[in-house]
Amino acid sequence: MTASIDPVFCLRHRDRETVLRCARCNDPICPECMVQAAVGHICPSCVTWERNPVGQVDNSRLLTAVGAGLGAGILLAIAISVLSAALGGLFFGMILWAVAGYLIGQAVHVAANRSRAPVLRYVAGGAAAFSWAVAMLFGIGIVFSLGWLIFGVIQVAIAIALATAPFR
């Protein structure tokens, strides 16, 4: 006497016989329906494409990050303007802008609850560029010579690169 086993069919494709089952809900699935997951093969109903919370930022945190970036940028622009006027030197200015870029990036990063969302890269880079523009307009003055302009572009590039570093 042999036991008769009834065929099992995929829930989504009623014409396909299968021996596969979802690792989560145990529903029968065919090879076309199955999704490879860390727990094995699962059905499309059990698939949850949750996003990594480190890569997300809600609107309130985003606004806080923008405010922190701009606030830190303005304070650093004032400090760099005062230090540049007192100490002078193009190389010293590059070091100051490197430090300012790092501090702006950290301010945005902390204000966004350590999120690494891609939009924060633009917030930090924009805050660093804004800070440099504020320092050029109000502290040091508008750049008139080509040499100062070249060094200014290098300074803002360094500041933006270091401000966006936490979000890569």
Side-chain angles (χ1 to χ4, degrees), residues 59-80:
N59 289 338
S60 63
R61 288 280 182 190
L62 181 61
L63 287 174
T64 304
V66 169
L70 292 177
I74 290 170
L75 290 175
L76 289 166
I78 293 168
I80 289 174

Side-chain angles (χ1 to χ4, degrees), residues 22-48:
C22 175
R24 289 194 179 155
C25 68
N26 206 28
D27 284 345
I29 54 174
C30 68
E32 186 178 325
C33 292
M34 70 182 185
V35 177
Q36 182 64 40
V39 296
H41 301 293
I42 59 174
C43 67
S45 301
C46 291
V47 174
T48 56

Side-chain angles (χ1 to χ4, degrees), residues 105-124:
Q106 290 303 311
V108 170
H109 193 52
V110 169
N113 200 23
R114 304 265 181 217
S115 174
R116 295 173 58 100
V119 70
L120 295 174
R121 183 179 307 143
Y122 300 111
V123 170

